[in-house]
Amino acid sequence: MSLMTRLALVFLALGVSLSTATTGIDTIAAISSSSFTCLKNNGYHFYIGRVGQSNGGIDKTGVQNIKNAWAGGMSNVDAYLFPCHSSSCGTAKAQVQATVNALKNGGAKFGMLWLDVEIYNWPSNQATNRQFILDMVSECNALKVKVGIYSNNNNWQSIVGIDWNGVSKYPLWWANYNGAVSQLQQLQAFRRMEQAFHSSIFWRRKGCVLCWKRRPQLVPLKKRNNKEAF
């Protein structure tokens, strides 16, 4: 596992029992198909790869990782887009198009495209940010791509306002980087986000991430070490 920088553990549960959880990873490091096979043989079955970068570019390593993940035997493979807000970058819809085209042109099959909504170069105007997210989601729908949102209560509060529920019907990948936060604090933060999202929720923290879809289900990821991870 030493080759895995910024390794993340994901437990995607099919029910409330931990015994049914599926373990996987989220990393930007290059991983060969043989390494994915090794991971599979050691109980890993899920991978999420970065494709759209915060500088507006395409992560070709991420595209190849997604292909390698399938070739190595991963059961579920997703992609994520970290949007760019520089004036030199394309529109929200254009960035989704570029990400999806990179995957399709690269022959990289994927289950869902996660849109990363966290504090990094977003404008201060929440109305503008809301529209940007709506435009990304709209383009995913137009392209018939399954879409989910990656965020947490702090990011959501800052970027769009904690009570905004404009994309509430889509899955939420909950991000919590502080593994030391108390259970009470986690629950309070989750309850606030729950008001904006009522679909699947993946709770991300150092040791464990919880997935909710009507009933408690499960999911954990390790903190990304720096902004290069996005």
Side-chain angles (χ1 to χ4, degrees):
M1 299 295 288
S2 60
L3 66 97
M4 300 296 179
T5 59
R6 294 173 284 270
L7 182 65
L9 296 179
V10 184
F11 300 103
L12 178 61
L14 301 178
V16 298
S17 171
L18 296 185
S19 63
T20 64
T22 299
T23 309
I25 66 169
D26 160 25
T27 177
I28 65 168
I31 311 174
S32 66
S33 58
S34 60
S35 293
F36 274 114
T37 299
C38 179
L39 285 165
K40 178 187 176 183
N41 293 338
N42 283 275
Y44 295 81
H45 301 281
F46 188 88
Y47 175 70
I48 305 173
R50 179 184 68 179
V51 178
Q53 296 176 279
S54 60
N55 61 5
I58 295 297
D59 187 345
K60 295 181 180 179
T61 297
V63 174
Q64 187 61 50
N65 277 347
I66 288 173
K67 295 171 65 176
N68 292 347
W70 288 118
M74 293 288 109
S75 301
N76 296 281
V77 183
D78 289 350
Y80 74 86
L81 161 62
F82 195 107
C84 175
H85 299 282
S86 170
S87 59
S88 61
C89 292
T91 64
K93 293 186 176 183
Q95 290 183 51
V96 169
Q97 291 170 4
T99 300
V100 173
N101 286 340
L103 286 159
K104 290 184 176 180
N105 293 338
K109 180 178 66 173
F110 64 102
M112 179 175 289
L113 181 62
W114 294 94
L115 306 176
D116 202 320
V117 180
E118 60 182 298
I119 302 170
Y120 186 68
N121 290 338
W122 283 80
S124 59
N125 189 309
Q126 292 186 339
T128 298
N129 296 338
R130 292 175 181 181
Q131 189 58 54
F132 191 96
I133 294 170
L134 289 172
D135 287 346
M136 287 196 294
V137 169
S138 173
E139 189 60 24
C140 285
N141 290 332
L143 297 174
K144 301 187 184 307
V145 169
K146 292 181 180 179
V147 60
I149 306 294
Y150 171 96
S151 195
N152 68 8
N153 62 303
N154 293 327
N155 290 312
W156 206 247
Q157 171 70 65
S158 174
I159 295 170
V160 296
I162 195 64
D163 296 324
W164 186 62
N165 62 359
V167 289
S168 62
K169 69 179 182 178
Y170 300 101
L172 169 67
W173 177 359
W174 167 273
N176 180 6
Y177 299 122
N178 185 359
V181 68
S182 72
Q183 290 295 325
L184 177 60
Q185 288 174 316
Q186 290 171 4
L187 181 59
Q188 289 174 337
F190 174 77
R191 293 297 184 199
R192 296 189 71 190
M193 280 297 283
E194 193 178 30
Q195 296 174 14
F197 284 84
H198 304 289
S199 188
S200 305
I201 295 182
F202 296 81
W203 181 326
R204 170 180 180 164
R205 56 183 255 217
K206 181 178 179 182
C208 183
V209 182
L210 302 177
C211 167
W212 299 77
K213 191 171 184 179
R214 295 200 181 99
R215 295 180 299 175
Q217 297 180 324
L218 173 229
V219 187
L221 292 177
K222 184 180 177 183
K223 171 183 178 181
R224 291 168 176 157
N225 291 334
N226 53 53
K227 285 300 178 183
E228 291 181 356
F230 309 123

